[in-house]
């Protein structure tokens, strides 16, 4: 054996100290964006059945969640709303006193240090559950939807949202929202675009949490085919050219190659969305004793960072910070 010549890579793995010296990728609590579901009503804290540990809150109980977020040092939240009423065009999405707008005001008044990201879409607010205007033939109309999305973004900015995050996947949505914000005097409010959003089975639990499942058909005419990789570059390029400030890839876990592609091609901050189905699978396996939840979650989130994500939207954020800090 002494005559053999080979590289001894294990030399750099011999102790915890040695491994820490050559560690390439790190997780920080500042990397996390925590999703919160808010709903109309009073004294509501409903656990989402398919997402153990995730709740829907009425605004009068939202402080319980925000106190915990602040105590853990998580710097930002993304708000999703469940309105009391829905209609064909999602009026409550852009109403001045809509649920997301009121929740934004609550957070910015009571927790001004928290960056509030407003999800900008219509699906939770429309009676049909689609992300845009629907005609009599059950077709989702692109251009009429843009006006409503711009109105929604402006109303969210007026309520105090720090970042607008449009998730609808209509063509031209970044252009429409950027123009709407600029015309309303919100030139400094950035857009965190859901630039690359696939039509994914991993969204199932979210639709329970946000009551946003479509009442007919599916979203395959506007969300991307999971088979396609080059199309992701076209979508991201469109949003960069239209003025996006962040690029989201959603889902994350089955699309880490896309996260890396987007990271390699664009110099904007890249956001991986660790979606509801990814969260639910880990929780279910953990509850059944099949995996170590802590190690699995931290490894998964680390993989997203290693793939190129600067930020991660994740329902695991609170637990992850506790584990990272030994709490």
């Amino acid at each position: 054996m002494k005559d053999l010549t080979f590289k001894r890579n294990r030399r750099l793995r011999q102790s915890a100290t040695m491994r820490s010296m050559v560690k390439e990728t790190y997780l920080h609590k500042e990397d996390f964006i925590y999703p919160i579901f808010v709903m109309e009503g009073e004294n509501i804290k409903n656990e989402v059945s398919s997402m153990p540990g995730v709740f829907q809150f009425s605004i009068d109980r939202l402080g319980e969640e925000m106190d915990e977020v602040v105590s853990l040092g998580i710097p930002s939240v993304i708000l999703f709303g469940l309105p009391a009423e829905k209609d064909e065009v999602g009026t409550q999405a852009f109403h001045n006193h809509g649920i997301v707008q009121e929740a934004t005001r609550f957070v910015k008044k009571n927790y001004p240090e928290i960056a509030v990201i407003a999800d900008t879409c219509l699906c939770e607010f429309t009676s049909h559950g689609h992300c845009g205007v629907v005609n009599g033939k059950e077709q989702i109309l692109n251009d009429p939807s843009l006006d409503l999305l711009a109105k929604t973004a402006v109303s969210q900015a007026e309520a105090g949202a720090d970042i607008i995050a449009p998730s609808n996947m209509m063509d031209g949505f970044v252009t429409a929202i950027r123009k709407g914000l600029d015309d309303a005097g919100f030139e400094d409010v950035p857009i965190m675009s859901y630039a690359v959003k696939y039509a994914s089975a991993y969204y199932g639990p979210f639709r329970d949490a946000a009551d946003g499942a479509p009442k007919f058909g599916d979203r395959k005419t506007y969300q991307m085919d999971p088979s396609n990789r080059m199309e992701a570059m076209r979508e991201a390029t469109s949003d960069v050219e239209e003025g996006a400030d962040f690029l989201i890839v959603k889902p994350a876990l089955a699309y880490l190659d896309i996260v890396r592609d987007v990271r390699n091609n664009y110099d904007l901050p890249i956001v991986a969305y660790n979606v509801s189905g990814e969260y639910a699978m880990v929780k279910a396996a953990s509850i059944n004793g099949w995996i170590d939840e802590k190690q699995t979650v931290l490894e998964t989130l680390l993989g997203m960072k290693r793939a190129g994500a600067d930020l991660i939207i994740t329902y695991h954020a609170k637990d992850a910070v506790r584990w990272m800090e030994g709490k």
Side-chain angles (χ1 to χ4, degrees):
M1 292 296 293
K2 290 187 180 296
D3 294 331
L4 295 178
T5 300
F6 53 89
K7 180 66 175 178
R8 294 189 180 274
N9 294 305
R10 290 181 56 197
R11 288 173 181 153
L12 302 185
R13 305 176 195 149
Q14 294 306 301
S15 67
T17 299
M18 185 74 74
R19 292 190 294 273
S20 70
M21 289 173 65
V22 297
K23 186 173 182 177
E24 299 175 27
T25 307
Y26 289 84
L27 284 173
H28 306 282
K29 60 188 177 184
E30 291 82 7
D31 300 333
F32 300 141
I33 299 167
Y34 185 58
I36 298 179
F37 299 97
V38 288
M39 65 187 307
E40 307 274 5
E42 296 181 353
N43 194 31
I44 297 171
K45 183 181 178 181
N46 295 333
E47 187 169 29
V48 180
S49 60
S50 55
M51 300 178 69
V54 174
F55 297 84
Q56 301 162 330
F57 292 92
S58 53
I59 292 177
D60 60 327
R61 296 196 64 177
L62 181 55
E64 301 171 28
E65 186 79 314
M66 290 306 306
D67 286 346
E68 191 173 10
V69 168
V70 170
S71 71
L72 292 168
I74 298 169
S76 58
V77 298
I78 182 167
L79 299 179
F80 298 92
L82 288 81
E85 299 178 359
K86 302 187 179 190
D87 60 29
E88 287 293 305
V89 295
T91 302
Q92 289 300 309
F94 47 86
H95 195 287
N96 287 339
H97 295 287
I99 184 61
V100 170
Q101 288 79 358
E102 290 299 306
T104 298
R105 292 187 183 99
F106 174 86
V107 175
K108 294 309 297 182
K109 177 181 178 181
N110 295 285
Y111 309 90
E113 70 276 29
I114 293 293
V116 172
I117 304 166
D119 180 76
T120 306
C121 198
L122 303 177
C123 59
E124 296 129 73
F125 303 91
T126 54
S127 53
H128 47 72
H130 279 284
C131 302
V133 175
V134 174
N135 67 11
K137 298 179 181 179
E138 296 188 344
Q139 296 172 317
I140 293 81
L141 304 179
N142 194 91
D143 295 9
S145 302
L146 299 179
D147 294 335
L148 301 183
L149 293 165
K151 288 178 63 175
T152 300
V154 170
S155 71
Q156 292 169 337
E158 289 173 343
D162 298 289
I163 299 171
I164 299 301
S167 58
N168 54 88
M169 289 297 286
M170 296 293 115
D171 291 339
F173 69 93
V174 175
T175 290
I177 289 172
R178 185 72 271 159
K179 184 177 187 306
L181 290 172
D182 291 355
D183 289 349
F186 295 107
E187 298 92 343
D188 293 332
V189 174
I191 296 175
M192 181 181 285
S193 172
Y194 286 70
V196 181
K197 183 178 180 181
Y198 286 89
S200 173
Y202 284 98
Y203 303 152
F206 176 91
R207 291 170 183 171
D208 290 339
D211 189 27
K215 297 299 186 290
F216 64 85
D218 53 41
R219 294 176 176 152
K220 293 181 180 178
T221 66
Y222 46 104
Q223 294 179 1
M224 289 174 51
D225 186 335
S227 303
N228 293 352
R229 182 176 181 181
M230 296 306 298
E231 184 182 12
M233 296 302 99
R234 296 198 297 274
E235 289 285 357
T237 298
S238 295
D239 288 7
V240 170
E241 291 174 349
E242 292 173 21
D245 301 284
F246 303 77
L247 301 174
I248 299 176
V249 177
K250 179 182 182 184
L253 193 56
Y255 299 86
L256 294 181
D257 60 322
I258 307 301
V259 174
R260 173 46 59 184
D261 284 345
V262 175
R263 169 74 289 154
N264 287 346
N265 282 277
Y266 306 101
D267 60 3
L268 296 179
I270 308 302
V271 186
Y273 198 141
N274 178 209
V275 299
S276 59
E278 297 165 5
Y279 174 89
M281 290 191 301
V282 170
K283 281 291 183 180
S286 174
I287 289 169
N288 279 283
W290 297 334
I291 61 170
D292 180 318
E293 181 180 2
K294 172 183 174 181
Q295 297 302 323
T296 301
V297 169
L298 294 179
E299 182 179 340
T300 298
L301 298 176
L302 192 68
M304 294 172 189
K305 283 291 298 290
R306 190 184 64 248
D310 300 291
L311 299 166
I312 304 172
I313 302 172
T314 179
Y315 304 94
H316 294 293
K318 293 190 299 180
D319 287 336
V321 171
R322 292 190 191 96
W323 292 327
M324 289 159 57
E325 299 186 347
K327 296 180 179 179

